[in-house]
């Protein structure tokens, strides 16, 4: 299936690498895979070639199979340096594993991500539990290099691997009465030590939501990998949402439940501090947050004496594609 | 000078910490956002030093050792230094040196205002910490330095405001601060003194 994403801020695939070299590389790889040289480690071959410093990880068979036919760089913002894998995988917010940035990388390995099922329910013909591989079976993997902007005013550029959410929605055929989608993160206290804290303020499980048109937008991705490999647990393995024009907390991790609902769901941060975290959470330099100024951001990695500060872009630089979704709304009210 | 070794040891410990953080930042060991980590560490360090400063008197009461009081002023001045570095780090690493935006930050983000007020308080204490000021202010000196209790509360409020999802660390500091403030209530501090004399009695009895 072809997804058309018009944008001025993106470079087209052939511009990235000379096409000949690109195809040649694929052929070489395919040859290697067929010859069995790296048959056991296809993800290793891809990952190590595309991005340096990537820690390899065992991938389930279905993922490794899809990797060879993935659409690499299906979306790539122009002139953006990709954040090193080490930073993207060591500096995370995933409160289920602790409140500090280094906690998820330290503790998330306790999460068992295989096998993984996702409950799809609500306003849909056949609510049922899907195995992750069945959920992704019909779609091709795409690499999308997106800016990620955290509400705490730091940002990264991450090459995700995943399938468009719209495709999955069509696959499960929700009713027309479904106006919103509600997502839920796994809640397993025995594997998630952050949820066992006596001073935690979050009411688990973590919940996020999207309006149906946002969910159907071609930029909205359900990621199963990053940097040419599966997702590290701390980055939301094995299945997470990526909504590049919204603050990072909207991109819910380790999804176990997707519900099609009539009413706007109450999301985790919104229920904790509605004056700080709106349902829409669109990146907007003009709408201030009580704790962090949103006018500028720190693009990571930064070194101590060049903190890499830059102006935040409306809708995180994706305004051309998504502004239409909000044309009738006052974004200072519906923040 | 009394306790030269003890005072130098405290000095070396507290002075080396920021240098160690700088070294880590230089080694890229503070992660991809070193400025933020440094600002947070300095802020937390200032709070720890403030609580340590406040523990010196009760510790002296409890143990009878005058060495605690010998380092109290030093710790207080270090707390001010850490807070100054915390503020400087915030201005340069997080605000990017755009001082024009400071007014807006103070207006829109009350925790920054509260932190700023705490810093003003610490500045007053640091400026009046010399023997000359003590003589000059006489009795009022003690009153002025009672500000420290207000500063503890401001510092904790400042920290609570940035807690996102887990208040565990904050509760730890708040618990210690509450205990230290309780110890300032005359009845409690008298009880603390009697604990010491009581223990001595026991010691004598045992002999």
């Amino acid at each position: 299936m072809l997804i058309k994403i018009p944008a001025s801020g993106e470079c087209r695939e052939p511009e990235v690498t000379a096409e000949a070299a690109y195809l040649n590389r694929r052929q070489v790889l395919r040859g290697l895979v067929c010859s069995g040289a790296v048959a056991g480690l296809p993800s290793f071959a891809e990952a190590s070639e595309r991005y340096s410093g990537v820690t390899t990880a065992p991938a389930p068979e279905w993922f490794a199979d899809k990797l060879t036919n993935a659409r690499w760089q299906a979306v790539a913002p122009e002139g953006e340096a990709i954040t090193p894998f080490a930073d993207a995988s060591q500096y995370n917010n995933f409160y289920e594993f602790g409140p500090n940035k280094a906690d998820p990388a330290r503790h998330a390995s306790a999460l068992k991500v295989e096998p993984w099922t996702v409950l799809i329910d609500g306003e849909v013909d056949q609510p049922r539990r899907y195995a992750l591989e069945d959920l992704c079976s019909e779609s091709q993997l795409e690499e999308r290099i997106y800016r990620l902007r955290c509400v705490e005013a730091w940002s990264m550029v991450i090459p995700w691997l995943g399938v468009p959410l719209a495709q999955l929605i069509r696959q499960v055929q929700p009713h027309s009465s479904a106006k919103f989608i509600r997502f839920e993160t796994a809640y397993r206290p025995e594997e998630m030590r952050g949820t066992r804290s006596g001073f935690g303020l979050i009411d688990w499980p973590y919940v996020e939501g999207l309006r149906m048109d946002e969910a159907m937008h071609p930029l909205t991705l359900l990621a199963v990998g990053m940097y040419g490999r599966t997702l590290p647990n701390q980055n939301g393995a094995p299945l997470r949402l990526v909504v590049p024009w919204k603050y990072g907390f909207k991109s819910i991790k380790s999804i176990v439940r997707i519900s099609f609902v009539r009413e706007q769901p109450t999301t985790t941060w919104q229920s904790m501090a509605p004056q700080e975290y709106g349902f829409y959470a669109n990146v907007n330099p003009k709408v201030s947050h009580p704790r962090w100024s949103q006018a500028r951001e720190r693009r990571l990695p930064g070194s101590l004496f060049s903190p890499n500060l830059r102006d935040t872009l409306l809708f995180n630089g994706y305004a051309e594609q998504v502004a239409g979704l909000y044309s009738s709304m006052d974004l200072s009210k519906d923040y | 000078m009394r306790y030269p070794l003890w005072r130098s040891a405290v000095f070396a410990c507290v002075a080396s910490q920021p240098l160690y953080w700088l070294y880590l930042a230089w080694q890229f060991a503070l992660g991809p956002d070193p400025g933020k980590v440094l600002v947070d560490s300095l802020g937390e360090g200032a709070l720890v030093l403030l609580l340590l400063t406040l523990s010196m008197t009760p510790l002296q009461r409890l143990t009878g050792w005058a060495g605690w009081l010998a380092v109290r002023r030093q710790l207080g001045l270090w707390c001010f230094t850490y807070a100054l570095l915390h503020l400087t780090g915030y201005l340069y690493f997080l605000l990017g040196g755009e001082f024009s935006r400071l007014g807006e930050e103070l207006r829109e983000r009350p925790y920054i205002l509260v932190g700023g007020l705490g810093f003003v308080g610490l500045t007053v204490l640091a400026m009046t910490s010399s023997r000359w000021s003590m003589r000059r202010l006489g009795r009022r000196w003690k009153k002025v330095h009672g500000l420290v209790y207000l500063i503890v509360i401001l510092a904790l409020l400042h920290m609570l405001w940035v807690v996102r999802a887990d208040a565990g660390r904050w509760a730890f500091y708040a618990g210690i601060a509450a205990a230290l403030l309780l110890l300032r209530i005359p009845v409690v501090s008298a009880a603390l003194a009697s604990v010491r004399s009581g223990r001595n009695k026991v010691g004598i009895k045992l002999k």
Side-chain angles (χ1 to χ4, degrees), chain B residues 194-207:
Chain B
S194 72
V195 167
R196 181 162 75 92
S197 48
R199 202 183 51 184
N200 281 350
K201 266 179 222 153
V202 174
I204 291 159
K205 268 181 206 159
L206 280 175
K207 271 176 196 165

Side-chain angles (χ1 to χ4, degrees), chain A residues 211-231:
Chain A
R211 204 170 62 190
M212 192 56 82
D213 57 342
E214 297 178 317
M216 294 295 289
H217 193 277
L219 283 179
T220 308
L221 191 74
L222 265 178
V224 291
M226 62 191 246
Y227 295 81
R229 50 154 286 172
T230 50
L231 288 169

Side-chain angles (χ1 to χ4, degrees), chain A residues 1-46:
Chain A
M1 151 172 201
L2 225 147
I3 290 196
K4 194 170 158 240
I5 298 141
S8 61
E10 292 161 9
C11 47
R12 278 162 294 150
E13 204 167 317
E15 289 175 75
V16 179
T17 311
E19 200 168 11
Y22 192 78
L23 293 173
N24 185 36
R25 192 199 62 81
R26 280 189 165 182
Q27 254 162 20
V28 170
L29 261 182
R30 217 168 271 154
L32 279 174
V33 173
C34 293
S35 71
V38 287
L41 297 162
S43 61
F44 174 79
E46 291 282 354

Side-chain angles (χ1 to χ4, degrees), chain B residues 93-147:
Chain B
F93 302 134
L94 302 183
L95 210 58
E98 291 173 48
F99 301 105
S100 53
R101 282 180 40 219
L102 188 61
E104 184 192 329
E105 290 284 295
L106 288 171
R107 242 180 300 118
E108 290 187 6
R109 275 165 268 287
Y111 78 93
I112 291 181
L113 183 67
V114 165
L117 286 176
F119 181 75
V120 170
L122 280 176
T123 310
V124 170
L125 299 196
M127 282 169 58
T128 57
S129 66
S130 64
R131 283 185 205 286
W132 180 80
S133 309
M134 289 178 97
R135 275 197 301 272
R136 200 61 221 261
L137 288 166
R139 260 202 214 149
R140 281 172 301 162
W141 187 87
K142 221 173 169 179
K143 250 187 198 159
V144 172
H145 279 247
L147 260 181

Side-chain angles (χ1 to χ4, degrees), chain A residues 179-211:
Chain A
K179 302 288 181 230
F180 292 88
I181 304 189
R182 179 186 181 279
F183 300 89
E184 211 175 277
T185 298
Y187 172 51
R188 303 181 190 165
E190 65 286 357
E191 294 172 24
M192 298 172 142
R193 58 186 284 152
T195 64
R196 305 199 295 261
S197 164
F199 294 95
L201 309 174
I202 292 181
D203 189 15
W204 314 104
Y206 188 87
V207 171
E208 257 308 334
L210 291 176
R211 204 170 62 190

Side-chain angles (χ1 to χ4, degrees), chain B residues 37-118:
Chain B
V37 176
L38 206 59
V39 170
D40 287 354
S41 307
L42 284 165
E44 197 168 337
L47 178 60
V48 168
L49 285 165
L50 187 57
L51 296 177
L52 277 175
T53 311
L54 283 172
S55 344
M56 293 303 114
T57 308
L59 278 172
Q60 190 271 332
R61 289 254 164 90
L62 198 66
T63 63
W65 188 50
W68 301 116
L69 292 185
V71 294
R72 188 175 61 175
R73 171 166 36 187
Q74 187 194 153
L75 287 171
L77 284 170
W78 274 119
C79 167
F80 168 73
T81 309
Y82 273 50
L84 180 65
L85 290 171
H86 170 68
L87 174 67
T88 312
Y90 160 74
L91 291 174
Y92 279 95
F93 302 134
L94 302 183
L95 210 58
E98 291 173 48
F99 301 105
S100 53
R101 282 180 40 219
L102 188 61
E104 184 192 329
E105 290 284 295
L106 288 171
R107 242 180 300 118
E108 290 187 6
R109 275 165 268 287
Y111 78 93
I112 291 181
L113 183 67
V114 165
L117 286 176

Side-chain angles (χ1 to χ4, degrees), chain A residues 132-173:
Chain A
L132 179 57
E133 56 178 299
D134 297 337
L135 212 57
C136 304
S137 63
E138 288 177 29
S139 28
Q140 185 188 18
L141 276 190
E142 287 186 28
E143 185 182 55
R144 305 276 188 90
I145 304 175
Y146 284 157
R147 299 177 200 93
L148 172 75
R149 172 62 155 78
C150 178
V151 70
E152 296 167 342
W154 53 266
S155 62
M156 294 184 181
V157 179
I158 297 179
W160 303 105
L161 270 168
V163 299
L165 177 62
Q167 214 160 304
L168 176 130
I169 294 173
R170 288 197 199 98
Q171 197 179 320
V172 302
Q173 296 178 326

